Amino acid sequence: MEERNWSAEESLALIRRMIDCTRSRLEEQVGRDFLRMGYTTIAVALAVWLALHRTSNPAWNYLWFIIPAAYLICGWRSGWFRGQKSNRSHLDRITGYIWLTIGAAGLMLSIVAFLKPIAILFIILVLMGTGTAITGLVTGFRPFTTAGLVTSLLLAPATLWVEGIDSILLFAAAFAVLMVIPGHIANCRLKRGAQRGE
């Protein structure tokens, strides 16, 4: 096989194409995962709120553990929590490590919340908002960054002012802003790119 000498411009163009391809693939995967987890979190939050509203039985709070279980399943299916694979880029691994760390912290905080009263909805929104903002910064996808910052800086503190179980409704709405809206934006952007042949 004959070796080819690449000019500086050709090398840079190849590197740019590889980065764009990785970013596009990662954006697609993250967009899908954000939709799955956003809708799961909203559904669980609404189920907990409805059950607490109708029965006032605090045992319904155990439904919250569906969320970390779903996150683990989603992360495992995405390959983010597995060892290095040849088809995973450095960007894939970074994003996976971010969410593995945030997921572990979120699970630990959820367990603590059952043992000692803490402002769990506030803390989880700050944690998830920070992870989403970092994901946006790493991937260069501004809707993730914006959604993460809006959630961490505005919506999370709002849960501290809403009294009782109605803060769960704000939590659900915050996840629509945090994950569902940017997930749909990512999917629409990828579909438009595919239609244009990018």
Side-chain angles (χ1 to χ4, degrees):
M1 182 150 78
E2 185 179 319
E3 282 191 35
R4 180 175 176 203
N5 291 327
W6 295 76
S7 70
E9 293 88 24
E10 289 173 324
S11 296
L12 286 173
L14 178 63
I15 291 168
R16 270 192 225 106
R17 279 196 309 273
M18 289 172 62
I19 290 171
D20 288 344
C21 181
T22 298
R23 183 173 286 139
S24 177
R25 186 176 42 75
L26 185 60
E27 203 173 285
E28 178 181 11
Q29 178 181 338
V30 171
R32 262 194 326 262
D33 291 344
F34 270 39
L35 287 174
R36 285 183 191 128
M37 296 320 309
Y39 281 122
T40 299
T41 302
I42 291 168
V44 169
L46 293 176
V48 169
W49 177 85
L50 186 61
L52 290 173
H53 184 69
R54 290 189 178 210
T55 69
S56 298
N57 183 349
W60 287 108
N61 281 305
Y62 287 106
L63 289 175
W64 289 112
F65 285 106
I66 293 171
I67 297 170
Y71 274 62
L72 289 172
I73 292 167
C74 184
W76 185 260
R77 288 186 66 211
S78 298
W80 287 10
F81 305 146
R82 294 184 213 142
Q84 287 186 350
K85 286 185 155 188
S86 58
N87 61 345
R88 291 182 70 211
S89 71
H90 185 63
L91 199 56
D92 290 321
R93 286 191 295 278
I94 289 171
T95 307
Y97 294 145
I98 289 167
W99 286 104
L100 178 61
T101 305
I102 287 172
L107 179 59
M108 182 271 303
L109 286 166
S110 299
I111 293 167
V112 168
F114 275 91
L115 303 174
K116 183 174 177 66
I118 59 173
I120 189 67
L121 300 181
F122 165 76
I123 295 168
I124 291 295
L125 284 176
V126 169
L127 190 62
M128 298 299 287
T130 301
T132 301
I134 292 170
T135 299
L137 292 169
V138 167
T139 61
F141 189 59
R142 284 194 186 121
F144 290 155
T145 306
T146 303
L149 292 174
V150 165
T151 300
S152 294
L153 302 176
L154 299 175
L155 299 176
T159 62
L160 298 173
W161 279 274
V162 177
E163 296 288 325
I165 65 169
D166 288 339
S167 61
I168 296 171
L169 295 176
L170 180 57
F171 181 81
F175 263 83
V177 171
L178 180 65
M179 292 193 160
V180 172
I181 292 171
H184 280 297
I185 291 171
N187 282 350
C188 287
R189 181 172 151 174
L190 289 167
K191 284 178 187 172
R192 280 196 307 266
Q195 289 171 348
R196 288 192 302 252
E198 294 177 357

